[in-house]
Amino acid sequence: MQPTTSLALAAAIAACTLATAHADTLKKVADSGKITVAYRESSVPFSYLAGSGGPVGFSVEVTNAIVDAVKKQVNNPGLKVEMQAVTSQNRIPLLQNGTVDIECGSTTNNATRGKDVQFAINYFYTGTRLLVKKSSGIKNYGDLAKKKVASTTGTTNAQVIRKYSKDNNLDFDIVLGKDHDDAMLLVDTGRAEAFAMDDILLFGLKNNARNPAEWEVVGDSLQVEPYACMVRKDDPQFQALVNGVIGGMMKSGAFEKLYDKWFMSPIPPKNQVIGLPMSKELRDNLTALSDKPAM
């Protein structure tokens, strides 16, 4: 029994040491000569794949600016940058265990997640709505009583729509896709009547659909929520660097130009325009620089 106990103790000590090391991201990056950044495969227009190249999007460009600042901070212009795809379900665990060093995508900043990770300055605000086929005739949540409603595993939207169904006695049959593309496919193939998700992501998915004219975003907006980059908890130095980059972009006007590029101009792969002007909440945050979570 003694060898087993000793091995278990050694493993526990090693895990503790690893977790402590990971809390100092800049030291971890400097020592390893690399930084690993997360990306999403279908969070249009934030972080997504649009062809055979790497990920593109609004959040990807924010991440690139942060990586440039990290290179300067650790005095390594040749710092290796590794990309790691994440999903709604695994993004927080992969950040916590050190697989990725930062995640900037379409992640809602809320108090529950704030117990596990640290959020940077909020860079978008959104609310839950519905993506449906135009032919369905569905216009709002009441039209979905006792019907199948899709959402994505590991998202706040799944919780929001479940609570709304219960509070309003609508008895939704909620089915979950592993990612946004998968959830949209549930509707496209008739396995669900609507896809409940952040409205901006629904507009992006609609624009990139095989036939965008078949789809529409409908329904009241439920629960306005902020998006923000995630870093590991108890790492004030790295958090300050990330906030310095995002806050600097907001103060200089670079952030607004980047917003116009991805939300008001043609974007890949089909050169569709999402056409969503900056919300009042986001415009106010260009000055406030708040990281306040959703209620």
Side-chain angles (χ1 to χ4, degrees):
M1 295 296 292
Q2 185 63 35
T4 302
T5 304
S6 298
L7 286 172
L9 179 61
I13 293 172
C16 182
T17 303
L18 186 63
T20 302
H22 284 172
D24 188 345
T25 301
L26 290 173
K27 183 179 186 304
K28 173 179 179 284
V29 168
D31 290 347
S32 66
K34 71 174 183 178
I35 183 169
T36 304
V37 300
Y39 71 90
R40 302 297 298 275
E41 295 181 319
S42 57
S43 287
V44 183
F46 295 93
S47 179
Y48 64 106
L49 298 175
S52 58
V56 298
F58 174 82
S59 302
V60 173
E61 294 207 37
V62 172
T63 303
N64 291 342
I66 293 167
V67 169
D68 287 343
V70 170
K71 289 178 179 179
K72 293 177 182 177
Q73 182 71 25
V74 301
N75 194 27
N76 183 359
L79 184 72
K80 185 177 180 182
V81 182
E82 293 190 349
M83 309 295 293
Q84 173 67 52
V86 298
T87 66
S88 299
Q89 196 167 20
N90 68 18
R91 56 191 164 180
I92 290 177
L94 291 181
L95 181 68
Q96 288 179 304
N97 70 18
T99 300
V100 300
D101 297 309
I102 185 169
E103 193 267 355
C104 298
S106 54
T107 299
T108 295
N109 171 8
N110 63 28
T112 299
R113 289 172 176 165
K115 296 175 183 178
D116 298 319
V117 299
Q118 180 67 53
F119 285 97
I121 293 168
N122 297 328
Y123 60 43
F124 195 79
Y125 293 82
T126 187
T128 301
R129 294 182 69 194
L130 302 167
L131 182 65
V132 300
K133 289 286 189 72
K134 283 184 179 179
S135 59
S136 70
I138 293 166
K139 297 300 179 184
N140 218 326
Y141 302 95
D143 299 324
L144 290 166
K146 300 184 183 301
K147 294 182 180 179
K148 291 183 182 294
V149 180
S151 195
T152 305
T153 300
T155 63
T156 56
N157 311 88
Q159 299 167 25
V160 168
I161 202 70
R162 188 174 284 113
K163 182 177 186 300
Y164 187 88
S165 174
K166 182 179 179 181
D167 291 348
N168 292 276
N169 297 312
L170 292 173
D171 196 23
F172 295 157
D173 181 1
I174 297 172
V175 291
L176 300 177
K178 65 179 180 7
D179 57 27
H180 303 324
D181 281 339
D182 189 43
M184 185 177 180
L185 184 63
L186 290 172
V187 181
D188 197 23
T189 56
R191 289 173 288 166
E193 299 296 323
F195 174 23
M197 183 45 56
D198 297 334
D199 54 5
I200 180 56
L201 298 181
L202 298 181
F203 281 113
L205 289 165
K206 171 185 176 293
N207 284 1
N208 279 341
R210 184 175 58 255
N211 186 357
E214 288 183 349
W215 299 86
E216 62 181 340
V217 178
V218 301
D220 300 327
S221 181
L222 305 180
Q223 189 170 327
V224 175
E225 299 180 340
Y227 286 174
C229 295
M230 292 191 297
V231 298
R232 279 180 285 277
K233 286 188 74 67
D234 303 319
D235 194 353
Q237 189 179 10
F238 190 48
Q239 180 191 1
L241 181 147
V242 173
N243 279 342
V245 171
I246 296 171
M249 293 173 70
M250 289 181 168
K251 291 176 183 176
S252 70
F255 183 92
E256 193 160 358
K257 290 179 180 177
L258 188 63
Y259 185 97
D260 287 344
K261 174 181 177 179
W262 288 99
F263 295 90
M264 303 300 294
S265 305
I267 62 172
K270 296 186 177 181
N271 292 321
Q272 296 280 340
V273 179
I274 288 175
L276 186 69
M278 190 178 291
S279 66
K280 181 183 183 301
E281 292 90 347
L282 182 54
R283 192 164 293 283
D284 288 347
N285 211 41
L286 300 187
T287 302
L289 306 182
S290 172
D291 63 359
K292 184 179 179 181
M295 300 302 291

